[in-house]
Amino acid sequence: MFRQSPSLSSPAPATLTRARQWFESSGLGGVALLALLLLVAFPLVLDAFRLNLVGKYLTYGFVAIGLVVLWGWGGVLSLGQGVFFGLGGYAMAMFLKLEASDVESTKIQSTPGIPDFMDWNQLTALPLWWKPFAHLPFALVAVVMVPVLLAFVVSYAMFKRRVGGVYFAIITQAIALILTVLIIGQQGYTGGVNGITDLKTLLGWDIRSNSAKLVLYYINAALLLASIVLCLWVQRSKLGTLLLAMRDKEDRVRFSGYDVSMFKVFAFCLAAGLSAIGGAMFTLQVGFMSPSFVGIVPSIEMVIFAAVGGRMSLVGAVYGALLVNFGKTYFSETFPDLWLFLMAALFIGVTMAFPNGLAGLYATHVRTWWRARRSRPAPLAAPLPPEASA
């Protein structure tokens, strides 16, 4: 006679198996693991300075998951996502700057009550289009709506004329360059090449303190996780299926009666809105916004985040943003003369060794190993001693 394993007579293992399979198929297992890392592990092991750096890296995660939707699922490569990241950041910076530019704080200026860079450029009154940004609700709406409206105008004009592929990528690069030149040239209204700096408070709350940075980190991480869940819902919906079909066989989708151009417009606007939220959170955590985050170079770096993480994986894109930015910080601190070469080696090495990014590495190696380990037959139970079977 043999002792029966209690696990064989209990429904718990089957329930756990079904739960594990559901988590894997829905994609929420990776989200749960990422949430554990961001909300528990990092705050426990990192000091305030390093945790704030991770929060800065996570703001780029918004751009990366937007590119997964646009490029990975929709097949549309945009090299100008820095435009929307910057617009969202500038919208938040304008509110914060107006709050920091009250009459009492700027009484030494020639014109008290306006931002310092306006006073330096001989402006004597606050521009009309700046005034609504003195109200936080308007600024929060503008963070999302201004970039989305710009994305809608650009994408509708392009996709309705079936402009795509490399031509669309070049057009988005041109928009990034134009906006950078415009921001730098209008120094009296935008702060010029220095950007909008010296941002101190949010509704009287000092955002420079360690406690405030911790709160902003958690808000940032929660918004990022919510954005991933939203994009997963889109992916699992009929809309997500059509985006994938449009990427692979655009003509078939068009011949089936669907307006392909509007699907592309939706994906582009969604990616723009996510990028803008990341830009706003960047401004809150770092305390400034400048045109150096708007142009061609940062936009290409944002594509690299998605490529390194895996352009088909939302969670992988976040890991890609973390890895690339951590590498940039570590290499620049440790090897100040070689860090650009080391970053290039990192990009080339990861993309050559893992064409599908970190997500592909997980799918082909880690998940396969784990499933093989789980599928091994359990050892037979030991027979009962004679005195116990009597």
Side-chain angles (χ1 to χ4, degrees), residues 208-225:
R208 299 168 298 175
S209 64
N210 288 338
S211 60
K213 290 179 179 179
L214 180 62
V215 172
L216 289 173
Y217 170 83
Y218 276 111
I219 294 174
N220 186 32
L223 287 174
L224 181 62
L225 294 170

Side-chain angles (χ1 to χ4, degrees), residues 76-92:
V76 178
L77 176 59
S78 170
L79 297 179
Q81 293 304 104
V83 169
F84 311 113
F85 184 87
L87 286 176
Y90 267 96
M92 178 57 68

Side-chain angles (χ1 to χ4, degrees), residues 154-218:
V154 172
S155 59
Y156 188 86
M158 294 297 104
F159 295 141
K160 279 296 184 180
R161 291 167 175 79
R162 299 191 183 181
V163 177
V166 66
Y167 300 103
F168 183 78
I170 292 173
I171 289 171
T172 55
Q173 273 201 330
I175 294 172
L177 178 61
I178 291 170
L179 184 60
T180 303
V181 173
L182 181 65
I183 292 173
I184 294 175
Q186 299 297 318
Q187 182 172 333
Y189 300 99
T190 63
V193 69
N194 294 322
I196 301 179
T197 60
D198 199 25
L199 308 178
K200 303 175 182 178
T201 61
L202 174 66
L203 298 178
W205 179 46
D206 188 357
I207 60 175
R208 299 168 298 175
S209 64
N210 288 338
S211 60
K213 290 179 179 179
L214 180 62
V215 172
L216 289 173
Y217 170 83
Y218 276 111

Side-chain angles (χ1 to χ4, degrees), residues 89 112 129 204 218 370:
W129 57 278
Y218 276 111
W370 177 252

Side-chain angles (χ1 to χ4, degrees), residues 86-102 113-115 117-118 126-127 129-143 189-190 196-207 216 279-280 283-284 287-289:
L87 286 176
Y90 267 96
M92 178 57 68
M94 290 168 70
F95 169 78
L96 298 176
K97 190 62 176 178
L98 288 178
E99 182 174 341
S101 303
D102 59 279
I114 64 173
F117 58 83
M118 293 185 182
L126 189 69
W129 57 278
W130 264 76
K131 292 183 179 180
F133 287 91
H135 309 284
L136 181 59
F138 179 88
L140 293 177
V141 173
V143 162
Y189 300 99
T190 63
I196 301 179
T197 60
D198 199 25
L199 308 178
K200 303 175 182 178
T201 61
L202 174 66
L203 298 178
W205 179 46
D206 188 357
I207 60 175
L216 289 173
T283 299
L284 283 170
F288 74 96
M289 175 53 65

